Structure formats: structure tokens, C-alpha cells
Amino acid sequence: MDLDVRRRLREVEEEIVSRAPEHDIDPTTDRVRALLEVLGDPQRTYPVVHITGTNGKTSTARMIERLLLELGLRTGRFTSPHLHDIRERIVLSGELVEARRFVEAYHEIAPLLALVEQRSLEAGTGRLSFFEVLVAMGYAIFADAPVDVAVVEVGMGGVWDATNVADGAVAVITPIALDHERYLGSEVEDIAGEKSGIIKPGAIVVSAAQEIGAAEVLRQRAEQVGASIAWDVTEGIAGGEGSTGLGGLAVLARDVAIGGQVLTLRGLAGDYPDLFLPLHGEHQAHNALLALAAVEALVGGGEQPLDLEVVRAAFAAVESPGRLEIVRRSPTVLVDAAHNPAGIASLVAALADSFVFARTVGVFACMADKDVEGMLELLEPVFDEIVITRTTSMRAMEPERLGALAREYFGDHRVHVVRDLPDALDRAAELADDGGVGGGVVATGSVFTAGEVRMLLGKS
């Protein structure tokens, strides 16, 4: 990237970031729909795999993308948030959209964006947000490429999420749990109702095992719009019985392996043995199952099995940065973007499943609006000591307040408050080494935590 392009990219990013942030939600799709209409509705020029849920969306999106690429298709992937570079959100065939194209796309839509916003301001509905602008850019870039299929992750919820102006031929729903209660509701059924909004008429739905209430909400939505659901029934959990039209999916076998795990999966159209997945944790096996079924649904209506060697090659090439990722050795440093109790529960299970440390030290920084106590309670049995810090995010909880909460669970002697993240990481490494060889550091609590630790250790 030459200096001029870098400068122009920075200017465009600053203009986009100056808008309302993605966590400041105005629950409507009217503004982004109006912009896309004047752009010619680019989101309707290719099939879409639409992904919602509470955790696991980005990993699942990456797996779907990898399978489609291995099948020889040109893909667009839209995910959020990003770890380091805003262009991580808009990916063409596995590569970040070029900086020059990102800048051009923004300037192409800018006059129409101004027109739509003028009308919106006159109507009293305000400007488009940071996230809405990026959604419009992503859909436009995908149409211009052009792509054969877009893999799109919601930002939050489903019904009023800006991405929901597209109609997914396949809807993927990862496990639903409590998060963003301010916008989505305080009951899992309420959250499921919001997320069910991505289920469109005639779609094929691929869902993780869900709590009974959430499963019933999804089933009712599918029946209302004539969609078919396939459920992950590995554990015989809610959703498998009385399904709408499709059989059950399952992780038939799973073995921990060096660098990941080996899986046998039952998809919509067949069984797929001996798949190496270079990601850790049982939750990633179930994400892989959803990804496999989604691609079966898209390319063959769920009736034609995929070529086994294609599936093996695709899963072996999957990467998911910031998701239980090793970013340093001696001591081992892991980063994980878990930012709610459900995500932390998956992290805790994966650590027990795939890692053995003589001493485990946590580096924890999170957003002030999250269920901090729920996360700390789950982490307490896992971390021998915890280093409390903060990221550069304006939403980060102050370390002193976070440290006081941590002491309620860990006690005074196991909690260390270090305000600056680089110093906190150094302190955690020292504590991990105190136990001799085999100590480990786990940095978690938010996507910002994972991204900034990656950057500090040269992984950006």
C-alpha cells in the first residue's frame, strides 16, 4: 500500500468512524434500506448465507467461506467487529478488500449517502451509523466484484440489523444466549425472537442446539414463513424433535489432535469422516457442523453430499484469528475474544479440553456494559491468578473498578491490577513463569483485548 492510498484510507476510515458507533443502536433498517435502494439493491444480485446467534458467528462465517472457496466459488464475507483493520469486515475470496477499492467504494456511495441522509434528517430519523455505512459498502463491493455468494454475519440481533435488508437463502443460527440485553431483551426467548428475523420465506435454516424456549421461537418463525430447519442434535438437546422438514445434524466423533481436532460430522446429505480442524474447543466442532450443513444447503439444497476431499482440504485451511489463538510461546500466550458468559464458558471448556498448563494466568479487560461478574465467576476456577487491565476502547471498564469486582471472586492475593495492557501482559508472563516451565497466559474479555494483545505480540 503506497503512502497516498494509506492516507486516503485513513481519511475515509475517520469519516466513517465519526458516525454513531455500532454499539449505539437505533433499531431500524429504514436508513440503510433507502441507501441500498438508490444504489440499485446490490444485495439482491447474489445468494446470501446469513448468520446470527450469540457466539461463534465469525468462526462459522470463516468456515463457510473456506468451504465455498474450495468449491471454486467467488465469495464475499462480511463480519464484525474487526481486530486490527477495518477492511477485515469486507473480504473478497478470502482476502481483505484492497485499500484502493475500499476508498473508491466509499467515494462512489458518498453522494447518494448525502442525498439519503438529507431526506432522513428532514424526516427526523438521523444519519446512517458507522455500521450501516459499512453494510452498504460491503453489499456494493460484493456486487461489483462480482461474487458468486456472500457470507454475511449480523452485527446484532436480526430483525432490525442493518444486514437484514438481504434475504438469506440459507440462515445459520449459532447458540443463542444472553447478551446485548438492552437491545435484544432479558429472556432467551426474546433474543431468539429478534434473531429469528433473518429466517426468510423458503429459506433453509441450520441451527445449533438451542434452549427449549429459543428452539420453539425459531420453529414457529420457520413455520410462519415456510422455511425448513435442520438442528444440531449431537447431544439430543431441544430442537431435534418435531423439526420442520430436515433431518438432524451431529458431531459423530471428535478427537483432540496436535494443533486442533479431528472430526466426523453428519451433515444434511451424508457423513464426513476424518476432518482435521486446526481450531481448539468442542464449540468449534459444532461451528464446523453448522458451516458444513449451510454449504450443503446452498449448493445442493441439502440433498447432495459435498466431495469429501474438498471438505477435508477446506477445514484443514481454516483460520479464526483471536479465537483461542496461540500468539506466543514460552510462556504460551493465548488470546480469545470471548466477551459474555456463554463465550467464556466455551473458552473454559476448550482450555480444559486442549491445554495443560502448570500455571494459568489470565489477562482480563472488558467493556463496562457487559456481564462482568458472570464472566469472572466462570474464570475463577481456571486462572491461578488474574491480571486486570484495560484496552484503548472508550467503552472499557476502568481497571480499579474491574479489579474490585475480580477480588470478590479471586480474593486479594490472586488479583493484580495493571492499568496499561502492555505492562499487564508482561506481568502475566512473569507470573506464569513463576511456576517454572509450562505456564500459560490467557488474554480475554473482549474483541479489543484479543486484538490489542495480538498486535503487541506482532500478530497484526
Side-chain angles (χ1 to χ4, degrees), residues 413-434:
H413 65 291
R414 295 168 62 199
V415 176
H416 308 264
V417 177
V418 181
R419 185 169 185 81
D420 296 324
L421 182 57
D423 295 335
L425 193 58
D426 288 342
R427 179 61 176 143
E430 292 171 0
L431 292 167
D433 281 338
D434 281 350

Side-chain angles (χ1 to χ4, degrees), residues 96-319:
L96 303 190
V97 62
E98 291 182 356
R100 191 181 302 276
R101 179 66 192 115
F102 187 93
V103 171
E104 289 172 351
Y106 178 76
H107 289 304
E108 286 166 3
I109 74 166
L112 297 174
L113 174 60
L115 174 65
V116 168
E117 288 193 322
Q118 179 62 38
R119 295 172 180 170
S120 180
L121 289 169
E122 290 171 357
T125 54
R127 302 175 73 211
L128 275 77
S129 69
F130 163 87
F131 186 71
E132 289 170 322
V133 170
L134 285 174
V135 168
M137 287 178 61
Y139 283 145
I141 288 170
F142 295 160
D144 185 64
V147 301
D148 297 314
V149 57
V151 182
V152 177
E153 172 190 339
V154 304
M156 187 189 301
V159 172
W160 42 257
D161 188 78
T163 64
N164 203 33
V165 294
D167 294 328
V170 178
V172 180
I173 304 176
T174 67
I176 295 172
L178 296 179
D179 197 16
H180 302 296
E181 290 98 323
R182 174 184 172 191
Y183 297 103
L184 303 181
S186 58
E187 302 293 335
V188 72
E189 292 84 357
D190 298 331
I191 297 174
E194 292 293 336
K195 294 182 184 294
S196 72
I198 75 163
I199 301 175
K200 301 300 175 62
I204 296 177
V205 184
V206 177
S207 176
Q210 307 288 356
E211 293 184 19
I212 292 173
E216 184 58 30
V217 170
L218 299 179
R219 185 184 292 113
Q220 289 177 5
R221 169 67 179 177
E223 290 175 352
Q224 289 169 0
V225 300
S228 301
I229 302 184
W231 305 88
D232 179 349
V233 296
T234 303
E235 304 295 335
I237 300 175
E241 297 182 3
S243 298
T244 310
L246 297 172
L249 315 168
V251 178
L252 298 179
R254 174 179 172 272
D255 296 300
V256 175
I258 295 174
Q261 52 194 306
V262 177
L263 312 173
T264 296
L265 304 179
R266 172 161 292 164
L268 291 170
D271 294 351
Y272 301 82
D274 300 324
L275 308 174
F276 176 68
L277 181 69
L279 302 177
H280 301 285
E282 185 176 3
H283 62 292
Q284 294 289 18
H286 291 275
N287 290 339
L289 179 65
L290 296 182
L292 173 66
V295 175
E296 287 180 310
L298 182 72
V299 301
E303 298 179 355
Q304 299 293 325
L306 305 177
D307 181 270
L308 178 59
E309 293 309 314
V310 167
V311 176
R312 284 175 174 165
F315 279 133
V318 166
E319 296 179 343

